């Protein structure tokens, strides 16, 4: 399946859904969750680290086929280290994370971003075992869903995180909203699957969503 094929209603309705039945649609993309679908899509290539990734612009184009009223993108950024050289790995991570956020903005997403926190991790004996990185957007996503609740009829969620279970149930039962979830099969929680009016496995879209680096001269370089 190619992205161009999804432009036709037959393919859209076969692999996604006919938006007419769902009223005003707001799309929410937890990209930290979506990005890790690549581990399931390409397990051999991504066994040690992500070599094949998911393209943000292609995620946006697939979402656009169902004509959402608005789409949101959530992603954390690595902090800059001005005391280090520009080519230091930490500063490369900083630029790559902001590149992804800027790319989402270019694709028409309203973006929500915050700094990734680095937390010292210790074992049960108090021994330092390394640094754990944390950047969770559950609260920000919940706030957007609740703040704009009168502006949409359907939540189109790209995440399978079980933390959304109670929120989605509230939107369905108290606010009479419909919930459509897209997630890789290996990453969807039972709770989110069961409370969705429609669950769409992301796996058939893996060839469409694959990031292919454009090496044309003069273009902004980055990742995914």
């Amino acid at each position: 399946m190619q992205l161009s094929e999804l432009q036709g209603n037959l393919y859209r309705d076969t692999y996604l859904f006919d938006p007419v039945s769902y009223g005003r649609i707001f799309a929410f993309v937890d990209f930290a969750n979506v990005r890790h679908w690549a581990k399931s899509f390409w397990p051999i290539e991504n066994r040690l680290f992500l070599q094949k990734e998911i393209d943000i612009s292609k995620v946006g184009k697939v979402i656009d086929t169902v004509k959402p009223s608005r789409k949101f993108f959530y992603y954390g950024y690595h902090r800059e280290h001005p005391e280090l050289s520009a080519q230091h790995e930490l500063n490369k991570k900083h630029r790559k994370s902001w590149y992804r956020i800027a790319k989402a903005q270019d694709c028409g997403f309203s973006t929500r971003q915050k700094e990734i926190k680095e937390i010292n991790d210790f074992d049960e004996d108090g021994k330092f075992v390394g640094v754990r990185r944390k950047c969770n957007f559950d609260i920000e996503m919940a706030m957007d869903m609740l703040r704009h609740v009168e502006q949409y009829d359907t939540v189109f969620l790209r995440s399978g995180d079980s933390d959304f279970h109670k929120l989605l149930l509230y939107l369905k039962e108290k606010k009479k909203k419909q919930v459509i979830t897209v997630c890789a099969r290996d990453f969807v929680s039972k709770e989110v699957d069961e409370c969705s009016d429609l669950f769409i496995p992301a796996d058939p879209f893996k060839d469409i969503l694959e990031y292919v680096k454009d090496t044309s001269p003069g273009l902004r370089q980055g990742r995914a």
Side-chain angles (χ1 to χ4, degrees):
M1 181 169 52
Q2 300 298 315
L3 184 62
S4 59
E5 294 176 321
L6 274 175
Q7 308 307 317
N9 290 349
L10 175 62
Y11 284 90
R12 181 203 64 194
D13 299 348
T14 300
Y15 291 100
L16 287 169
F17 55 90
D18 182 354
V20 172
S21 305
Y22 292 93
R24 299 165 298 172
I25 298 168
F26 269 32
F28 300 87
V29 177
D30 178 358
F31 192 65
N33 186 290
V34 170
R35 189 177 175 219
H36 284 281
W37 297 353
K39 295 179 181 179
S40 176
F41 292 168
W42 306 288
I44 296 175
E45 295 88 340
N46 294 336
R47 184 169 59 89
L48 298 178
F49 57 91
L50 293 181
Q51 297 187 74
K52 294 186 73 170
E53 296 218 42
I54 291 173
D55 192 319
I56 292 167
S57 65
K58 292 177 180 177
V59 170
K61 288 176 181 177
V62 170
I63 292 173
D64 286 344
T65 64
V66 298
K67 298 178 172 57
S69 300
R70 196 168 177 187
K71 52 187 183 180
F72 295 83
F73 180 96
Y74 305 83
Y75 194 62
Y77 61 88
H78 293 271
R79 70 182 180 92
E80 186 176 14
H81 291 264
E83 74 281 7
L84 302 174
S85 72
Q87 296 308 310
H88 192 281
E89 190 60 33
L90 292 175
N91 283 325
K92 288 182 180 179
K93 286 185 176 182
H94 168 74
R95 292 195 298 273
K96 288 173 182 176
S97 58
W98 271 108
Y99 172 84
R100 294 186 181 104
I101 294 166
K103 188 170 184 178
Q105 293 170 346
D106 291 343
C107 296
F109 284 99
S110 297
T111 59
R112 305 285 187 261
Q113 59 273 334
K114 62 184 178 183
E115 183 180 314
I116 297 170
K117 300 299 182 183
E118 296 183 350
I119 302 170
N120 291 335
D121 210 1
F122 301 86
D123 64 16
E124 292 183 356
D125 297 323
K127 181 181 178 181
F128 176 72
V129 294
V131 174
R132 178 166 50 92
R133 292 174 176 81
K134 183 176 178 61
C135 190
N136 191 300
F137 279 93
D138 292 354
I139 296 299
E140 288 82 357
M141 293 177 73
M143 287 178 62
D144 280 334
M145 290 183 195
L146 294 173
R147 183 169 55 186
H148 300 290
V149 71
E150 302 302 328
Q151 299 173 24
Y152 63 82
D153 304 298
T154 298
V155 169
F156 186 22
L157 176 65
R158 284 186 168 250
S159 175
D161 194 330
S162 62
D163 289 343
F164 293 115
H165 180 225
K166 294 295 185 181
L167 172 62
L168 297 178
L169 282 180
Y170 169 80
L171 292 173
K172 284 167 59 72
E173 295 173 358
K174 301 299 183 181
K175 296 298 183 179
K176 308 306 178 187
K177 306 300 179 181
Q178 298 190 79
V179 174
I180 300 173
T181 305
V182 177
C183 188
R185 290 187 180 94
D186 290 346
F187 285 83
V188 66
S189 65
K190 178 182 177 182
E191 294 86 350
V192 168
D193 186 7
E194 290 180 348
C195 76
S196 298
D197 295 287
L198 176 63
F199 169 71
I200 302 170
D203 306 68
F205 295 91
K206 71 175 188 177
D207 293 333
I208 286 178
L209 298 177
E210 181 183 353
Y211 174 75
V212 179
K213 187 173 182 178
D214 191 335
T215 58
S216 302
L219 293 179
R220 179 173 59 184
Q221 296 299 307
R223 294 291 301 277

